[in-house]
Amino acid sequence: MSRTVGDFLVSRLHAWGVRRLFGYPGDGINGVFGALNRADEKIAFIQTRHEEMAAFMAAAHAKFTGEIGVCIATSGPGASHLITGLYDARLDHQPVLAIVGQQARTALGGHYQQELDLLSVFKDVAGDFVQQASHPAQVRHLVDRAVRIALANRTVTAIILPNDLQEMPYEEPPREHGTIHSGVGYRAPRCLPCEADLDAAAEILNAGERVAILVGAGALGACDEVIAVADRLQAGAAKALLGKAALPDDLPWVTGSIGLLGTEPSWDLMRDCDTLLMIGSGFPYSEFLPAEDQAKAVQIDLKPSMLSLRYPMDVNLVGDASETLKALLPRLRQKDGKWRGKIEAKVADWWTLLEKRAMAAANPVNPQRVTWELSPRLPDRAIITSDSGSCANWYARDVRMRRGMMGSLSGGLASMGAAVPYAIAAKFAHPDRPIIGLVGDGAMQMNNMAELITVAKYWHQWQDPRFVICVFNNEDLNQVTWEQRIIEGDPKFNASQQIPDVPYHKFAELIGLRGIFVDDPEQLGNAWESALTKTRPVLLEVKTDPEVPALPPHITFKQMKSMSEALLKGDPHEAGIIKGTVRQILSAIRRA
């Protein structure tokens, strides 16, 4: 049998280092699946329950490995289902390639079944490169360009393959006019700013008396360099959510997360600093950064398009975080520790306050306590994923990252439904590492329950079976409920916010996993210890109180006014809100 276009595609992806595809089959992409079957498992195929989950897994694979993530789907609905997960990758600057089928070339333009204008469908999310193949000799450069552009630009690309083309004999491009002869290979260059810009940045950082650092996902992998620069400047450091693993939380000058999900020390750090160094972060909420004209500022980022976007920077440095900080360090003068001493005192007080908040009584379990009890029990090298929603608040504030750990969530898109596919992709990428996923019950019902079936299908292949999904069951779309109250001044709208009570732990047991249920806060510690020592994946379900507010680090008059208006309008859970809020505020009262 001659080699088909599908066979060539699989072999070319293998030559590029691709060893895993996430996706779902269909007749529009059968030619590639036949090739995968003939390829002697050179590339593993991970069958998800839904194409959206495959795209989330591809994005997470890129995040947790630095490699390109690849997802595959059939034509029509299969292709369109990928879009949300692909936008997650695009907004978080991750290299992902989508391979999708299409109807036969002779049918295109004929309003054929499952015929979509996929070039238009993918035009935005894969705007750097999306092409539809029309001839076997074209496929070589389509694959090479799609992979190289995705890696070089840290973005999403897409290849569309008509189903009849996939089965055709592959042809190398002839040596003649109008053909393309591409090749395999890409290594990211060493990227450093100009010497003059490094000198200008050092001048600003040396002149500052109160330096604040903000790190994001671009600082992952530059932990030692960030610490060295922070120690030289005697700075404090806050972390954007995607940069949570960039610095360990046991450093006394690390103030934790910033923003609505952030900490009081991070708020104070930005409010009181006179100099800002932003490293690899696109943190979007400018109200949590220093006021304009308050601070001199320097930014380091690989993407020029992200520079001076969130704050008017005095010096913009295009470069890799690690390399740029190494070049910057010899230019920096050692500062005294007066400013840092104040930061460390606030951080110590904050951890004490968080413990009080986590231990405050609730009905039945305080959701903060779920992550507070997890932190000291996290195994070394653990990878933690979180969904969007109120659970992200507790991930951001209460989970204490240590060196060697990893963690992520849907950042720029902030999509529900990413935690379980992220956790699955993390486990395939690092089968020897323990994985913990934190999920709200809304996201669990939306699409994550189905992916537990994927876990049940594959977990026997994993070197280390420790894989725990923790569901915060509060029967409420909790983050939006509090946004309705605090931002809009509206009471909870039960018709939109209440969701069914589902026995998630029993569903896990039904499909062969372990299930643990907790509705007593005193049992949380033992439950985590049990879950993290099981010999098969575990679903830990905790019955949490929806009326525990995720208090922002700084409560404005407008927010208090909106909350009061919501209560005056008659919130259906008014008594619980008052009790929960009072408990959290009382827990904030420090000992004299």
Side-chain angles (χ1 to χ4, degrees):
M1 179 179 178
S2 63
R3 187 166 68 151
T4 67
V5 167
D7 293 317
F8 172 79
L9 176 79
V10 172
S11 66
R12 199 67 166 186
L13 290 173
H14 186 271
W16 272 101
V18 174
R19 297 295 181 267
R20 189 172 297 115
L21 301 180
F22 302 95
Y24 205 79
D27 63 351
I29 197 70
N30 272 348
V32 176
F33 276 84
L36 281 169
N37 194 27
R38 293 189 292 271
D40 297 326
E41 299 182 347
K42 287 183 178 179
I43 297 180
F45 173 68
I46 309 303
Q47 180 201 75
T48 63
R49 303 309 101 204
H50 191 282
E51 293 90 351
E52 180 183 340
M53 303 294 99
F56 275 132
M57 290 182 198
H61 177 87
K63 287 185 176 185
F64 292 128
T65 65
E67 303 167 352
I68 190 169
V70 185
C71 54
I72 186 168
T74 189
S75 56
S80 62
H81 282 162
L82 293 173
I83 294 295
T84 299
L86 294 179
Y87 270 113
D88 178 53
R90 180 174 175 83
L91 269 62
D92 284 353
H93 309 289
Q94 296 303 314
V96 167
L97 167 62
I99 300 169
V100 296
Q102 179 58 290
Q103 294 307 303
R105 292 169 295 169
T106 52
L108 294 179
H111 192 61
Y112 202 74
Q113 185 186 37
Q114 293 192 336
E115 180 196 352
L116 298 180
D117 181 0
L118 293 179
L119 283 167
S120 296
V121 168
F122 289 102
K123 184 177 181 180
D124 182 57
V125 72
D128 285 21
F129 187 84
V130 52
Q131 292 290 331
Q132 180 168 299
S134 58
H135 191 279
Q138 182 190 12
V139 175
R140 175 171 141 187
H141 75 256
L142 293 188
V143 175
D144 292 344
R145 293 203 73 216
V147 175
R148 187 175 288 109
I149 289 170
L151 289 168
N153 295 356
R154 300 188 61 82
T155 193
V156 174
T157 58
I159 300 173
I160 304 162
L161 295 171
N163 58 21
D164 60 324
L165 183 74
Q166 299 166 35
E167 299 283 6
M168 292 179 66
Y170 173 70
E171 300 175 24
E172 291 287 357
R175 189 172 182 268
E176 61 184 39
H177 188 70
T179 62
I180 305 293
H181 299 258
S182 60
V184 171
Y186 174 80
R187 184 188 297 274
R190 186 182 185 209
C191 189
L192 272 172
C194 298
E195 295 289 325
D197 291 332
L198 288 167
D199 291 339
E203 185 177 345
I204 286 174
L205 296 171
N206 285 328
E209 296 181 358
R210 302 183 303 279
V211 180
I213 296 174
L214 173 59
V215 297
L220 295 171
C223 179
D224 290 336
E225 291 80 9
V226 174
I227 291 173
V229 167
D231 284 344
R232 184 73 55 87
L233 298 172
Q234 287 295 287
K239 301 189 286 187
L241 202 48
L242 288 174
K244 184 171 174 63
L247 287 170
D249 287 304
D250 52 14
L251 294 171
W253 45 268
V254 172
T255 61
S257 296
I258 189 173
L260 290 167
L261 282 59
T263 71
E264 189 177 316
S266 291
W267 170 268
D268 292 344
L269 179 72
M270 295 296 158
R271 181 196 61 194
D272 298 336
C273 72
D274 63 12
T275 308
L276 172 65
L277 173 59
M278 187 183 293
I279 307 169
S281 175
F283 174 72
Y285 304 127
S286 59
E287 68 270 27
F288 291 93
L289 297 176
E292 285 199 44
D293 300 325
Q294 170 191 323
K296 289 285 191 178
V298 175
Q299 184 176 359
I300 302 170
D301 207 289
L302 268 177
K303 283 185 170 283
S305 61
M306 297 303 295
L307 292 169
S308 209
L309 183 63
R310 310 305 187 195
Y311 192 83
M313 298 291 165
D314 295 279
V315 177
N316 295 291
L317 301 176
V318 179
D320 170 79
S322 176
E323 295 285 354
T324 302
L325 291 172
K326 285 177 184 176
L328 193 58
L329 183 63
R331 294 169 160 86
L332 301 177
R333 293 195 296 269
Q334 183 66 48
K335 297 184 185 293
D336 65 44
K338 188 184 301 183
W339 163 244
R340 179 178 273 191
K342 294 177 180 178
I343 295 166
E344 292 180 350
K346 289 180 179 179
V347 170
D349 285 349
W350 173 253
W351 286 116
T352 300
L353 173 59
L354 274 189
E355 182 175 19
K356 290 180 181 178
R357 286 183 176 177
M359 295 302 170
N363 181 28
V365 179
N366 186 331
Q368 293 164 108
R369 187 163 177 176
V370 178
T371 43
W372 185 264
E373 296 281 5
L374 167 64
S375 279
R377 296 172 172 86
L378 280 170
D380 290 340
R381 302 178 66 246
I383 301 176
I384 306 101
T385 71
S386 173
D387 221 284
S388 295
S390 59
C391 65
N393 288 278
W394 320 130
Y395 165 75
R397 293 179 187 166
D398 294 270
V399 172
R400 301 180 79 156
M401 288 287 189
R402 302 194 304 273
R403 267 188 181 268
M405 293 181 178
M406 302 171 77
S408 197
L409 76 175
S410 176
L413 190 62
S415 175
M416 290 175 65
V420 173
Y422 266 40
I424 293 170
K427 195 63 173 180
F428 275 110
H430 303 282
D432 62 327
R433 299 177 70 157
I435 311 294
I436 298 98
L438 307 173
V439 194
D441 50 356
M444 204 65 195
Q445 291 182 21
M446 180 180 283
N447 49 29
N448 277 195
M449 279 183 75
E451 290 310 313
L452 292 180
I453 300 171
T454 305
V455 175
K457 176 180 172 73
Y458 289 107
W459 75 266
H460 297 277
Q461 301 179 13
W462 297 335
Q463 179 180 338
D464 183 330
R466 288 178 293 175
F467 183 97
V468 182
I469 300 299
C470 177
V471 180
F472 295 69
N473 181 358
N474 56 23
E475 301 175 52
D476 182 46
L477 298 176
N478 198 236
Q479 187 81 357
V480 175
T481 294
W482 282 101
E483 287 169 348
Q484 287 176 346
R485 290 164 174 162
I486 295 174
I487 298 175
E488 304 299 332
D490 287 330
K492 177 179 177 178
F493 181 35
N494 278 340
S496 72
Q497 299 311 109
Q498 279 189 340
I499 59 175
D501 184 14
V502 174
Y504 306 98
H505 67 292
K506 291 183 178 179
F507 175 77
E509 292 172 348
L510 184 67
I511 61 173
L513 309 179
R514 294 284 187 241
I516 300 174
F517 179 76
V518 174
D519 60 1
D520 177 355
E522 297 304 317
Q523 297 302 314
L524 264 175
N526 289 336
W528 274 119
E529 289 172 9
S530 175
L532 289 165
T533 54
K534 293 294 186 188
T535 56
R536 67 177 58 204
V538 175
L539 189 290
L540 170 60
E541 178 185 351
V542 184
K543 197 68 178 176
T544 56
D545 189 345
E547 307 310 337
V548 174
L551 295 175
H554 174 70
I555 301 173
T556 66
F557 175 76
K558 182 179 179 181
Q559 290 168 336
M560 288 298 295
K561 182 174 179 287
S562 296
M563 185 67 178
S564 300
E565 289 173 353
L567 292 174
L568 288 171
K569 292 174 184 176
D571 193 284
H573 299 275
E574 181 175 338
I577 296 170
I578 294 172
K579 286 182 181 178
T581 304
V582 167
R583 284 170 179 157
Q584 289 300 296
I585 292 174
L586 287 176
S587 72
I589 300 174
R590 296 176 172 82
R591 294 191 184 98

